[in-house]
Amino acid sequence: MASDDDENGRRGMKRRIALLRRKMKLNPGIMLLVYLLAGIMALVLLLLATIGPWQVQNMVSIGGCPDLLVEVGVEDGDRVLEFVRNGGGLRGYLYQKSRIPTSFCIDVFEVRSEYGESINLITESAKNEVVQIKYHPQAVVANFRGTATILVEPVDTASQSRIQIVDGKHIVYNWQKALSSKREQAKAAVFDLWGLIQRRRVARGGEIIVRISSSMGDAVTYLRTFLGDSRLCATISLIVLEVKDMPDVLNERGSYQPSSTAYYEELHVLANLLQQGGDCRCGVEILDHMDYIGPARVSAGIFYAMLAGAPTFLDRVQAASKSWMRAVPQGKVAVFTNKEFKVDSDIHRTVGRHIAAVSLPAWPETEKHLNAMSAWSHLVRTRASWDLFMKGNPLLEFLVLLDDDTYTFTDSLNAVLKECMDPKEMQWGGSTEKIRLDNGDGGIFGRSLREMHLNAGGENCTFPSEAPVEGVRKCQDVMCKHCPPIPQGGFVVLTRKLVENLRPFIEDCEKETQILCLRCGSQRLYMCIASKLKDVISVPLRGAYRHPWRREKHSESTEYHGYPISIHGMRSNTTYLHTGALEDDMEELFELSLKARRRASVRGGDPFVTIEDLHHKITCNGNGYFRSGVCYSSLENSGTWCRRDTYRWKP
């Protein structure tokens, strides 16, 4: 019976096959369709074999978003356009993650209605270059959905800078942003960010990046929100905060001021918690419109007063603002110059997020070198820095007087000052040098220096500018070898205690020292300190260099191979520049600082540039470590800040 059933089954199968063959012969289109489907399957298999796994992953999420970019506070949309064109500052991050900008969905949020038209134009023109772009006018993001009260300020006043004249002596730019009286409360739509992420159906393993442009206060509010919602902080890949000196829109705390450090410190605490706390593992980058990166560690409370005469302002300040000034908290650099300029000029834009001040001596009518800031700016910058910035901010512990041709390694300077100088003592430091006994002042100050020199056993001789004295020979060396050393004028650090105690005497010192030479600005400061105060300590700071590195490389003894804090004399059109261009040289040094931070994050240790880094990059052009005229392949162990520790070299 079973065999009969099997036989009947085989006969039925043969009949069906024969019928199918007859149909295929009768309809050649079916055969063509079969062949076409087979070819398509072969092409799909070939495609899957040649593309990366992340692309396969995104292909399976058809109708969703391979990656998601959320832009908050985009203003006129330039950042969106820059992102679509070349990655908009996220290029390095995207390449590390094997992502390309065209794989993104983009959601754009802006609370100010004035920008709506320009954003719509950008999103319309760029919609074919990414998966999807959506613009949400008068809206913000949070961890809930609804409405929120915001403070709206008209665009035309929000971006203006106030020029303030202080005591009729100083013209200060960027003293604060203009605060419009027209600010009004308004309602903004609030999008639940978690709900937005879910609706966009981001592919598994896809990148979710949130970029926010806001005030410091609002940036803190956003980070609090993300930290308080475990779903967000565990899902978002990267948060980029572009912090600007602008009014808050989420609350009534007002505009962030340069002297306020509470928000700044809280912002970095929240950023660390988001990156390291519990389930949170999202990256956080803090920027501003000048790409502010912040100090590597908590700042020592340093205020920088830079000398920048009108002829070199644009060239040198621009190079500094694109390099080391990016690592200084907002408003902690004041660029002192001697000529007023317009707020919409290239010079003003060069200052960026910091301050510019036009200052004059206290007695301009009798200043014989009025047009030469190098003759009088040390005393004036000290006076102005205390009056305008330091007096009202007790957190500022050090004043750095530097020239515009000085590059500063801000991270290592922070560490050096914390370890080697005490802001509660009257101290000043830098690359110290001996002072001249004869300053061309007719002996007014030279006599006190000579007395100090003779009391310490120095030679009794006559200055070149003095009449011969019988039995006394002319000085062969006019340097006061037994006087306290003086920090070289291109980079001078003063403690808060010294500035505070010196301040009551500065106007008198400006008048008393007018007789000194054209380039005696730092010596005028020295004379003031020496004649008005007692027990002031000069602190030699290792790593403060007087010349560009290609000239300076042989100056260090073989016993010190520590950390540079400053390099003076970096000027355009000199043979000592490594790249041939001032801006490129300073950016090259700044990249070493960033590299040192990355190195410390991976290997541990201090995030500071070393002398060896300079030798490796500049002296040996990236091919070794320099010592005694030779480039070596590697070295062992390291030194400390204030001691002379030796290295063991491995050729």
Side-chain angles (χ1 to χ4, degrees):
M1 215 39 208
S3 61
D4 291 341
D5 291 338
D6 291 343
E7 183 64 24
N8 291 333
R10 284 193 291 271
R11 290 174 181 173
M13 179 62 72
K14 290 180 179 179
R15 285 195 297 270
R16 287 192 293 272
I17 292 174
L19 179 62
L20 179 60
R21 286 175 175 172
R22 286 196 298 271
K23 287 183 178 180
M24 292 176 66
K25 289 179 180 179
L26 293 173
N27 188 359
I30 295 178
M31 287 296 296
L32 179 62
L33 179 61
V34 171
Y35 291 135
L36 182 60
L37 289 174
I40 292 174
M41 288 300 296
L43 288 174
V44 169
L45 291 174
L46 179 62
L47 180 63
L48 294 178
T50 56
I51 64 178
W54 69 270
Q55 290 169 302
V56 175
Q57 185 184 69
N58 288 339
M59 289 176 64
V60 300
S61 184
I62 298 174
C65 294
D67 306 280
L68 176 63
L69 174 67
V70 179
E71 293 272 6
V72 182
V74 296
E75 296 184 349
D76 57 3
D78 281 349
R79 290 203 318 165
V80 178
L81 188 60
E82 177 68 12
F83 176 83
V84 171
R85 286 174 174 171
N86 60 20
L90 295 175
R91 181 191 298 270
Y93 178 84
L94 297 172
Y95 284 177
Q96 290 176 8
K97 298 292 184 177
S98 299
R99 292 292 190 267
I100 55 175
T102 52
S103 69
F104 275 79
C105 295
I106 304 178
D107 279 83
V108 179
F109 293 84
E110 174 54 56
V111 298
R112 292 191 177 95
S113 59
E114 292 92 335
Y115 293 117
E117 184 176 351
S118 60
I119 295 174
N120 277 323
L121 291 175
I122 289 176
T123 54
E124 181 66 24
S125 62
K127 66 181 181 180
N128 294 327
E129 299 179 62
V130 293
V131 175
Q132 184 184 75
I133 297 182
K134 288 189 176 182
Y135 168 45
H136 308 281
Q138 293 179 277
V140 294
V141 296
N143 56 352
F144 68 93
R145 186 172 181 85
T147 59
T149 300
I150 62 172
L151 295 172
V152 179
E153 181 175 9
V155 174
D156 59 349
T157 59
S159 61
Q160 292 178 359
S161 297
R162 176 178 296 175
I163 302 176
Q164 184 159 331
I165 299 178
V166 182
D167 298 331
K169 299 177 181 178
H170 311 282
I171 302 174
V172 182
Y173 298 78
N174 296 357
W175 178 263
Q176 63 184 44
K177 295 294 183 182
L179 298 178
S180 172
S181 60
K182 299 178 181 179
R183 299 187 75 193
E184 299 176 353
Q185 289 190 346
K187 294 290 184 180
V190 179
F191 280 69
D192 177 20
L193 184 55
W194 177 248
L196 177 69
I197 293 171
Q198 288 185 310
R199 289 194 300 276
R200 294 295 174 265
R201 293 168 32 215
V202 180
R204 179 182 301 177
E207 298 295 318
I208 300 175
I209 299 175
V210 180
R211 293 202 301 186
I212 298 171
S213 178
S214 72
S215 67
M216 181 70 79
D218 286 346
V220 168
T221 299
Y222 281 119
L223 288 195
R224 286 174 179 167
T225 298
F226 298 147
L227 188 61
D229 192 327
S230 59
R231 301 170 304 173
L232 292 176
C233 70
T235 304
I236 297 172
S237 308
L238 178 68
I239 299 171
V240 181
L241 293 174
E242 184 182 17
V243 179
K244 294 186 175 182
D245 186 15
M246 61 182 290
D248 299 334
V249 299
L250 300 182
N251 50 63
E252 297 187 46
R253 287 189 294 228
S255 186
Y256 167 69
Q257 297 298 318
S259 61
S260 174
T261 59
Y263 285 151
Y264 170 78
E265 293 174 354
E266 181 178 358
L267 190 70
H268 285 270
V269 169
L270 293 171
N272 289 334
L273 289 174
L274 278 165
Q275 296 177 91
Q276 304 171 5
D279 295 330
C280 295
R281 287 294 184 270
C282 61
V284 180
E285 293 184 8
I286 301 174
L287 315 171
D288 76 355
H289 66 283
M290 292 294 289
D291 195 16
Y292 172 55
I293 65 166
R297 294 179 176 173
V298 177
S299 172
I302 304 173
F303 188 82
Y304 298 85
M306 180 191 293
L307 161 65
T312 61
F313 193 109
L314 194 59
D315 175 40
R316 297 180 185 176
V317 176
Q318 180 164 281
S321 67
K322 290 185 176 182
S323 55
W324 68 267
M325 285 171 61
R326 290 168 51 190
V328 181
Q330 175 175 297
K332 297 302 186 295
V333 178
V335 183
F336 286 85
T337 189
N338 54 348
K339 288 189 178 180
E340 188 176 352
F341 50 82
K342 296 181 179 180
V343 294
D344 58 350
S345 66
D346 289 338
I347 288 180
H348 183 233
R349 283 188 286 272
T350 296
V351 177
R353 43 194 289 281
H354 292 291
I355 301 164
V358 179
S359 296
L360 291 173
W363 314 95
E365 64 280 359
T366 57
E367 181 62 55
K368 67 176 183 177
H369 302 298
L370 184 59
N371 293 326
M373 291 190 71
S374 60
W376 46 262
S377 77
H378 283 75
L379 286 170
V380 174
R381 281 182 285 158
T382 303
R383 167 169 55 84
S385 295
W386 177 260
D387 292 349
L388 299 177
F389 311 109
M390 297 183 69
K391 183 178 180 180
N393 186 355
L395 296 177
L396 295 177
E397 299 178 322
F398 299 97
L399 171 63
V400 176
L401 305 176
L402 71 161
D403 292 349
D404 55 5
D405 62 349
T406 298
Y407 182 90
T408 305
F409 296 89
T410 56
D411 290 341
S412 54
L413 177 62
N414 270 318
V416 166
L417 296 186
K418 284 183 176 181
E419 188 163 330
C420 301
M421 296 184 70
D422 185 350
K424 296 180 181 179
E425 299 291 336
M426 290 195 295
Q427 300 175 350
W428 67 330
S431 176
T432 54
E433 61 186 3
K434 298 179 180 66
I435 191 170
R436 288 178 60 93
L437 287 165
D438 179 15
N439 291 286
D441 62 356
I444 297 174
F445 293 103
R447 281 191 289 270
S448 63
L449 293 175
R450 173 185 281 173
E451 183 179 352
M452 189 185 307
H453 177 68
L454 293 176
N455 289 339
E459 179 189 10
N460 181 25
C461 54
T462 59
F463 299 152
S465 59
E466 292 179 326
V469 177
E470 186 176 353
V472 179
R473 70 186 187 92
K474 282 189 175 294
C475 298
Q476 300 299 312
D477 184 355
V478 295
M479 309 307 293
C480 184
K481 297 179 180 179
H482 300 284
C483 298
I486 175 176
Q488 191 268 337
F491 183 84
V492 181
V493 182
L494 297 88
T495 61
R496 180 180 182 88
K497 184 72 171 180
L498 176 56
V499 177
E500 183 178 11
N501 282 271
L502 188 64
R503 175 61 190 91
F505 306 105
I506 292 183
E507 282 90 350
D508 290 341
C509 288
E510 289 184 57
K511 176 176 282 188
E512 293 168 2
T513 60
Q514 285 180 345
I515 195 171
L516 292 183
C517 69
L518 179 67
R519 300 182 61 84
C520 289
S522 60
Q523 295 194 27
R524 291 176 72 166
L525 177 61
Y526 177 96
M527 296 301 181
C528 188
I529 292 174
S531 62
K532 306 298 182 183
L533 300 175
K534 295 182 179 180
D535 301 321
V536 177
I537 301 172
S538 294
V539 181
L541 296 177
R542 304 301 300 267
Y545 294 102
R546 301 184 59 174
H547 306 290
W549 195 248
R550 290 185 66 183
R551 178 180 175 185
E552 191 73 55
K553 62 185 180 183
H554 295 285
S555 67
E556 274 291 357
S557 70
T558 57
E559 295 180 348
Y560 179 75
H561 292 273
Y563 308 89
I565 60 175
S566 66
I567 296 178
H568 179 245
M570 299 189 66
R571 303 168 185 172
S572 297
N573 303 318
T574 66
T575 59
Y576 293 114
L577 294 178
H578 183 229
T579 66
L582 176 61
E583 188 172 310
D584 291 343
D585 259 39
M586 287 198 173
E587 289 187 359
E588 181 179 63
L589 293 174
F590 189 65
E591 178 56 35
L592 288 180
S593 297
L594 299 181
K595 181 179 179 180
R597 294 188 183 193
R598 294 192 293 267
R599 179 175 61 203
S601 66
V602 174
R603 304 177 188 173
D606 293 323
F608 309 127
V609 176
T610 67
I611 299 298
E612 282 68 37
D613 291 332
L614 293 179
H615 281 319
H616 181 75
K617 181 68 176 180
I618 299 175
T619 312
C620 298
N621 292 311
N623 296 315
Y625 296 91
F626 180 85
R627 177 159 179 166
S628 301
V630 179
C631 286
Y632 290 78
S633 60
S634 63
L635 57 93
E636 301 173 2
N637 83 18
S638 62
T640 58
W641 298 109
C642 300
R643 296 200 312 269
R644 290 187 174 187
D645 289 351
T646 60
Y647 281 95
R648 297 197 312 273
W649 287 83
K650 182 180 178 182

